[in-house]
Amino acid sequence: MIRYFASIFSNSKAIVQGHWITLKYMFKPAVTIHYPDEKLVPFEMYRGALLFDQQTCISCNLCVKACPSNCIQLENAKNETGKKIAKVEWYSIDFGKCNFCRLCEEACPTKPKSVWHSLDYEVIFTKRDEMVRCWKKDFPFIGKYFDRKGQDFKDPEGQIAIHDVRPRRS
Ligand code: SF4
Ligand code: SF4
């Protein structure tokens, strides 16, 4: 009989404690947001999707050598005589291999950085082709992907545009 009443007491206590915790949080400000209608801006050093600037890149290959995942490729631009110059013809990063380690950004000697992490965290790939981001002359920092079916470069579909929130590092 004592155990019966002890059990009723402990269960009632647990229910009251549970309701008390719920009541306390009901009057505190919410810490969650209504994603995806609302979006948080990540902290300053967040390593989001990589961006690239073909204008400032000097085609030094240091990012290629620094990358532990072997996911960066580039080709030097050439002058009229066919000699390589300190510019890139094209640059690509395979996001399927990238581990977002920032070593490419750290190795880049240009000021500001020619390859750098944005704050973009919504990097969604709906096609295999989209995983390889390419940059060529006049492509935006966000790059494009080569659609093998359509044989053309296309804009990435699943990426939000908060990459300009943080100033580019020098
Ligand atoms: S973030 Fe790391 S893995 Fe990704 S491209 Fe840069 S160096 Fe390579
Ligand atoms: S992105 Fe930076 S490190 Fe990579 S080739 Fe261009 S200048 Fe060199």
Side-chain angles (χ1 to χ4, degrees), residues 51-64 72-77 85-92 104 108-116 135-136 141 168:
L51 305 176
F52 177 73
D53 185 355
Q54 199 242 2
Q55 293 295 320
T56 55
C57 176
I58 55 170
S59 198
C60 66
N61 242 30
L62 287 177
C63 54
V64 178
I72 305 175
Q73 290 190 308
L74 62 86
E75 188 177 308
N76 272 85
I85 55 170
K87 286 271 166 205
V88 281
E89 183 64 33
W90 57 261
Y91 188 93
S92 77
C104 52
C108 183
T110 63
K111 291 181 195 288
K113 301 282 184 183
S114 298
V115 64
W116 72 102
W135 289 268
K136 290 177 80 164
F141 293 158
R168 217 163 129 191

Side-chain angles (χ1 to χ4, degrees), residues 94-113:
D94 187 345
F95 280 120
K97 293 181 187 169
C98 176
N99 59 41
F100 294 74
C101 66
R102 185 172 265 146
L103 290 177
C104 52
E105 183 179 336
E106 296 296 337
C108 183
T110 63
K111 291 181 195 288
K113 301 282 184 183

Side-chain angles (χ1 to χ4, degrees), residues 135-154:
W135 289 268
K136 290 177 80 164
K137 191 168 181 287
D138 299 331
F139 277 20
F141 293 158
I142 201 171
K144 291 178 183 256
Y145 74 93
F146 187 71
D147 179 36
R148 283 177 293 181
K149 207 169 161 194
Q151 287 294 298
D152 197 10
F153 285 100
K154 293 196 173 150

